[in-house]
Every structure is written in structure tokens, then in C-alpha cells.
Amino acid sequence: MEFKKIMAANRGEIAVRIFRGAKDLGKETVAIYSKEDELSRFRLYANQSFKIGEDLSPLGVYLNIPLIIETAKTQGVDAIHPGYGFLAENAEFAAACAEAGIKFIGPPAEVLAKMGDKLSAKKLADECGVPTIPGTKEPVADVEEAVRLAEETGFPLILKASAGGGGRGMRRCDSLKEVADAFPIVSAEAEKAFGNGDIFIERFIVEPKHIEVQILADEHGNVIHLFERDCSLQRRFQKVIEYTPAWSLPAELRERICADAVKIAKAVGYVSAGTVEFMVDRSGEYFFIEMNPRIQVEHTVTEMVTGVDLVRAQILIAEGKKLSDPLIGIGSQDDVGVHGYSIQCRVTTEDPKNGFAPDTGKILAFRQSGGFGVRLDGGNAYQGATILPYYDSLLFKITAHDATFEGCARKVLRALEETIVRGVKTNILYLANILQDENFLSGKCHTKYIDENPQLMEYDEGDDRATKIIHYIGTKIVNEPGAGKMTFDPIRQVPLEGVKKPGLKQLLDEKGPEAVKDFILAQKKLLISDTTMRDAHQSLLATRLRTKDMVGAADATAEILADAFSIEMWGGATFDVAYRFLVESPWDRVDKLREKIPNILFQML
């Protein structure tokens, strides 16, 4: 079928990516959003957007299958793309879409059920003859069984959530005590994150590389790979920087890994885009670990080197098209090649020097990078955006492409240096440190490299003088009693009371506008209009100066600026600021300022 209207059952960066892919095919798009996301920009990229689940939690909106399906049916949606995270790997959601007559843009529900469970996927790999990491093949029942099986497996080992992903529900253990302590924690974390507390045990591979293979498969049995990505740069199992190709591994090894990935995808009857993931140890031995049956955050690097639009391909495959369709253009494996190198950095609102704690607040200033070979993917990054505490801390992704790996790293570094984000903490300088690290540039990093190299945290955070000044002024005026009182240079001897020095306002009132015109024409000196008060509520001080604060400076203004032509202190922003932010009357403001400054012309922008 040909889709006319596609919904993204997601938010942020991946929702924007889905909308763009759909619009490139001439499809209408639909966004859903929570009440917390009312001001989030991603929904503006869709043709229609609907706020749903006002009585639900911020996360609950994007996890409520009946509500999402009902909204889609009401709006005449043909297909739903789940993105990544939330319901992307949920077999119940895929089944609910099918029952409602809505196409799920992804693998069938039965494939999701098999591959979404790591133990099920591991059994399938064993049946295909693909090597897997030694460990349990069934969920571990309780702490006692976990301790017994740990002794059999040996150390180090890792406890993993059977339904896990994204680095959650995982703990390394080096002793029986650590197993006993960690088991209930991992189980609870898995239950909370995935609705499934099943845990299994695997041997922990020391200093492995994390290699994943991008798969694309249609509904007609055609399966190809789009080569591999190196995702070894991780912090506590969360990917930080990804690149392709995985050039530090021998070409023959990479070919075997890619072939095994296709073998697994064919065995499970896979459809759509997916990723088969492997660990490669120091000796070059590799093991299948899981299959992610969805689009990945890092899919952009594969798109850069192969020229294949993966999201567009997902939509076309869901419509029943073959991989050989002209808009996908892959008749066989030989039609896919790798051209150059690509690196992706995930810019997050985290504070690396505070344990990578997520930061929230308003983005006061935002400048993004660009240029040849630089791609930006974001959903909510802009000046004035409010970063919420409820969702993932990903702000945007920078992906670069170049003819050499070193050149690509320099390009990403340049893009990071051009990027400015003020108001919230980010990991930009931390990423820049990694990109300049010799071991990274020589391909020697493994999954624990970041955790074991604290020198990557050594960087200068920069001055950010403008934001510091604004914060200082705000703190002084609002939080320190008496700090708002005006003080003056005693040499000036500015009078604060009594009759103000005459100005052009008196001339206007007494003799009219003709007299003011004649005065202006007779002047040889430059006439000045002071804009301090306009800037105070519109520009420099970022819509936060109150009438009380402006009136406090009015007496001195009337004296110091008595010879000025005018004071520009009014404009459209006055209403916006007074009503929306300060909860006060702009008319009251102008009355009070005129009372304090009777001698100078007021000017409106």
C-alpha cells in the first residue's frame, strides 16, 4: 500500500528524522506530544501535532499503546514509525498496530518478540552457528541461583537484563558478593525500564571492541548489510562516539562479522532496518551479543558513507517495496559500498565534571555548526528552549564525513568548536578531548577506555563571560537584600530628589512640536537617544528587568541624561515581557517612569 499519512510515536531528534524521511517521499506527518513537550520544537516539523494524555506522566504518554493507536485511527494515519526507545521494540505495540489496520514501520511482532529478548536472540545465533558469549541460556530465578551460576561461569561476569538495551540493566561483577548485591538492583532497573525483570549471566569480555552491523531487509526475503560501525567509545555501556568503517579490525574479520549478521537476520525472517551487535576480544575472537530490531541513534554514520537513507528505506519497505526499488537502489549486496569515513558525536545536556549528571534549564544562547561534510540531527535545540528533566539528555548529534579518518575527526572537532550552547551544561568539551586523543585516532579504544582514562576529563570549561554577568546581576538584584539600591560616584553629586534639570520634554509641553523641531535643526552637536531601558526589558538583560528595578534608576537617569534627545524605553517587547514573564502592567510602568523622568522625551521602538 502507499502511505498517505505517517505518525512518529516518539519525540525529539528521532521524531524530526522520521518526519523528514516521510516528507521526502511526499507523505503527510503527524506528531504526538505530552503536556511537558508543549514548547518542544520537534512537533513543529510535522504537518499535524496532537497533545495527548494530559493526565499521564511525561513518559507515560509515549508508552500508552491504546491512546497512541486511538489518536492514529482518529487522524487517519496509515503507518506508525516508533523510532528508537519507548515502544520501538515492543511486540505488543506492533501487534496492536496490525490489529488496528495501521502498518508498523519495523519488523513484525513475532520478530520483535524473538529478537527483543536477548536470551531468545542468543539461542537463534547458536542455531545459526554464530559464536555467542558463554553464559546462561535461561533467566536466572533468584539471588541464590545467580551466585551458584556465577561460580560456574567464572569472573569477571556481567548481569544483563533479558529485555534490556541502551546500557540499562547491566552490571559487571568481580566476586560472588558483588553478584549477590547487584542482582536485585539490576532486576529492579530492568523491570522499571523494560517491564521485564528477567536477568541472565554472561562472561565479561575484557577490553572488547563493540562492533555492530547495519541490516536492511524487505518483505520479499532480500537481506543485505550496510557494513559495520565501531561503537566502542562508551561510558558505562552508553555509546558516546560511533564511527564507520571499523578500520582498526582486519578486513577479513569484518567481512565474517557482516556475513554472520546477515545469516542471523535471514534466520529470524527480519524485515526493515535493524542492527546485529558483536563483541570482539583482544585476540580477534568475536561473539554475537544481541540484535536491535529498530533504527539506531548512530544510523547517520552509515548513511553518510553508503548514501542510503535508512529511514526512507524503512518506509518504502513497510509499503511492500523491494530493496531494488529505485528509491532504495540495492539490487544485491554488491550495490552497496563504503565511501570514506564518518564519525558521530552525541551532544548531551550533561555535566561531565559532575558525574555526567543531566542538566536542565533554559538555553540562553545557541549557535550551531555546519559546512561541507557536516550533518546535524536535533529536535529541541534552539535559543530559548527549555531542557526538561523527564527525558533523555540527547540535545543533538553531529555527524561528519571525510576521505580519511583523521580528516573526519578534525571536521567533527571543528564543528564542536563552532557550536555554542549557553544556559545548560553540555559534554561538548569532553567530546573534543576524546577526538584529539591519540588512542582514539589510532583505533585502539575499547568499551572501557573512557571509564579507565580520567585524563579525558581534564579540560578548561571556558569563561562564558556574558552568562556569568547576567547571573551575577540577577543574583544581586533578586536574592541579596538592599543590593538593588542605587549607589553613585560621590564626585557626580547626582541629586535624587527635587526639581529635575530641564529637558526637551518641557520644551515640547510648553511650546509644542514646532519648537522642538526648530531646536533640533539648530543643533550642531550629535543628538543622543539612550536605549538602556529598552534593552533592559528586551535585549541585553533577557526579558527580566522589573518596573521596580527601572524606577529605581529613574531619578539618576533624569539627571544624567537631561541633555539627551530622548530615552527609548517602550516597544512591542514591553507588553510581552510585562504580561508573560513579569506579571505586571506595562501602562503602570510608563506612568511611574514619566513621574520620575518628567524632563526627557520618551521614545517608542
Side-chain angles (χ1 to χ4, degrees):
M1 65 180 295
E2 294 285 341
F3 303 145
K4 293 182 179 179
K5 188 180 285 189
I6 296 174
M7 172 188 281
N10 217 300
R11 64 179 302 279
E13 175 269 325
I14 188 58
V16 174
R17 179 70 186 89
I18 294 165
F19 299 145
R20 285 173 170 163
K23 288 184 177 181
D24 286 346
L25 291 169
K27 317 293 185 184
E28 291 186 30
T29 53
V30 176
I32 56 171
Y33 63 96
S34 65
K35 61 181 182 293
E36 289 79 11
D37 267 332
E38 277 185 316
L39 299 179
S40 293
R41 179 168 283 184
F42 75 89
R43 68 186 188 86
L44 304 180
Y45 286 82
N47 295 109
Q48 297 174 284
S49 62
F50 300 95
K51 180 169 65 174
I52 64 174
E54 291 199 57
D55 57 338
L56 297 174
S57 69
L59 294 176
V61 167
Y62 301 101
L63 294 171
N64 191 301
I65 295 174
L67 185 57
I68 293 172
I69 295 291
E70 181 59 32
T71 304
K73 289 170 64 178
T74 302
Q75 300 307 320
V77 167
D78 302 310
I80 295 178
H81 195 308
Y84 53 72
F86 292 126
L87 296 171
E89 300 179 53
N90 191 297
E92 291 181 22
F93 184 43
C97 288
E99 187 177 342
I102 298 170
K103 188 71 173 183
F104 179 81
I105 301 178
E110 57 271 20
V111 174
L112 282 173
K114 287 180 182 178
M115 303 313 289
D117 183 280
K118 288 184 171 61
L119 284 174
S120 174
K122 191 173 180 179
K123 289 179 181 177
L124 180 69
D126 287 335
E127 292 169 3
C128 292
V130 177
T132 59
I133 300 175
T136 60
K137 300 187 184 298
E138 300 292 339
V140 180
D142 50 36
V143 174
E144 289 72 23
E145 185 179 18
V147 170
R148 179 178 61 78
L149 292 172
E151 283 189 292
E152 297 176 6
T153 304
F155 295 98
L157 58 79
I158 190 166
L159 301 180
K160 297 176 74 170
S162 180
R168 290 171 294 178
M170 299 171 67
R171 290 289 189 287
R172 173 179 171 167
C173 300
D174 292 285
S175 67
L176 294 176
K177 183 180 185 308
E178 287 184 12
V179 172
D181 292 342
F183 186 87
I185 297 173
V186 175
S187 181
E189 186 177 312
E191 181 66 40
K192 181 179 179 181
F194 313 110
N196 181 350
D198 286 350
I199 299 299
F200 68 103
I201 293 174
E202 275 187 348
R203 183 191 301 165
F204 184 82
I205 309 299
V206 178
E207 295 186 359
K209 280 190 170 294
H210 187 145
I211 306 298
E212 62 185 28
V213 179
Q214 180 66 60
I215 292 294
L216 204 55
D218 62 26
E219 295 178 346
H220 307 276
N222 302 303
V223 182
I224 58 96
H225 69 77
L226 285 87
F227 300 94
E228 78 291 338
R229 300 186 285 254
D230 190 323
C231 303
S232 303
L233 264 293
Q234 303 176 8
R235 191 192 70 84
R236 298 177 184 173
F237 307 114
Q238 292 276 8
K239 297 168 187 174
V240 177
I241 295 176
E242 303 93 356
Y243 60 84
T244 188
W247 55 272
S248 63
L249 297 180
E252 180 271 335
L253 176 59
R254 288 151 53 197
E255 289 173 6
R256 282 164 46 209
I257 291 173
C258 289
D260 277 350
V262 170
K263 192 185 298 183
I264 289 173
K266 285 183 175 180
V268 77
Y270 197 79
V271 174
S272 194
T275 307
V276 186
E277 310 209 4
F278 298 86
M279 287 288 187
V280 181
D281 68 15
R282 288 178 290 189
S283 68
E285 189 175 3
Y286 67 92
F287 307 94
F288 166 81
I289 52 174
E290 64 177 324
M291 183 173 191
N292 284 312
R294 54 175 168 81
I295 198 76
Q296 292 271 76
V297 181
E298 59 273 18
H299 75 275
T300 58
V301 293
T302 295
E303 292 182 329
M304 295 290 266
V305 299
T306 63
V308 177
D309 185 326
L310 288 168
V311 172
R312 186 169 72 175
Q314 284 186 294
I315 295 170
L316 293 167
I317 289 168
E319 287 185 328
K321 305 286 196 310
K322 293 183 178 180
L323 295 182
S324 57
D325 183 272
L327 288 175
I328 303 176
I330 305 173
S332 69
Q333 186 65 59
D334 293 338
D335 291 335
V336 187
V338 172
H339 305 282
Y341 297 79
S342 184
I343 300 173
Q344 176 189 280
C345 287
R346 305 184 187 194
V347 177
T348 62
T349 52
E350 296 175 326
D351 183 0
K353 293 199 172 183
N354 186 28
F356 289 85
D359 198 17
T360 59
K362 179 168 285 191
I363 297 178
L364 302 178
F366 180 71
R367 186 181 76 193
Q368 62 187 31
S369 60
F372 182 75
V374 173
R375 167 179 171 174
L376 302 175
D377 289 79
N380 294 321
Y382 60 94
Q383 186 167 322
T386 299
I387 304 303
L388 303 170
Y390 315 111
Y391 305 110
D392 186 88
S393 59
L394 178 65
L395 191 61
F396 58 91
K397 305 181 303 194
I398 296 178
T399 309
H401 177 258
D402 202 84
T404 67
F405 185 75
E406 186 176 348
C408 193
R410 283 199 300 267
K411 192 170 287 185
V412 181
L413 182 61
R414 185 264 298 166
L416 288 171
E417 289 173 347
E418 289 179 356
T419 302
I420 290 178
V421 181
R422 297 287 185 259
V424 292
K425 296 281 189 180
T426 73
N427 66 339
I428 288 176
L429 295 175
Y430 176 69
L431 293 171
N433 253 14
I434 297 174
L435 289 166
Q436 299 172 83
D437 182 78
E438 290 184 4
N439 285 318
F440 170 74
L441 293 173
S442 59
K444 297 178 181 177
C445 294
H446 51 79
T447 58
K448 299 298 289 180
Y449 183 77
I450 286 179
D451 296 331
E452 294 173 359
N453 286 272
Q455 77 275 6
L456 296 172
M457 299 291 298
E458 297 172 5
Y459 57 84
D460 181 7
E461 293 191 70
D463 294 332
D464 190 10
R465 295 184 297 274
T467 305
K468 288 179 180 178
I469 290 171
I470 290 173
H471 285 169
Y472 175 79
I473 293 172
T475 300
K476 280 286 185 183
I477 292 176
V478 176
N479 298 329
E480 296 185 21
K485 293 180 180 179
M486 300 301 296
T487 58
F488 305 98
D489 184 343
I491 299 176
R492 297 293 302 274
Q493 295 296 315
V494 178
L496 298 182
E497 302 295 341
V499 180
K500 304 297 189 297
K501 181 179 177 180
L504 283 182
K505 182 63 168 67
Q506 279 93 339
L507 181 63
L508 177 65
D509 291 343
E510 294 169 9
K511 298 184 179 182
E514 285 294 319
V516 175
K517 182 192 74 171
D518 292 339
F519 171 82
I520 293 171
L521 291 173
Q523 298 305 304
K524 301 300 183 185
K525 66 181 180 180
L526 182 68
L527 298 181
I528 300 296
S529 178
D530 183 85
T531 65
T532 303
M533 287 193 176
R534 186 257 292 176
D535 286 337
H537 63 237
Q538 178 175 321
S539 303
L540 297 179
L541 297 182
T543 73
R544 288 298 181 272
L545 211 63
R546 303 164 295 181
T547 296
K548 171 185 174 183
D549 305 316
M550 298 171 77
V551 168
D555 281 310
T557 299
E559 178 64 25
I560 295 170
L561 297 178
D563 292 329
F565 171 72
S566 68
I567 295 174
E568 187 182 310
M569 44 63 68
W570 192 261
T574 306
F575 296 91
D576 186 51
V577 170
Y579 287 135
R580 290 184 60 209
F581 298 104
L582 305 179
V583 195
E584 59 182 44
S585 166
W587 305 109
D588 179 58
R589 171 179 292 184
V590 75
D591 285 343
K592 288 182 177 178
L593 289 175
R594 173 50 75 207
E595 180 184 348
K596 289 280 190 177
I597 310 174
N599 56 335
I600 309 174
L601 295 174
F602 282 179
Q603 180 170 323
M604 179 177 74
L605 176 64

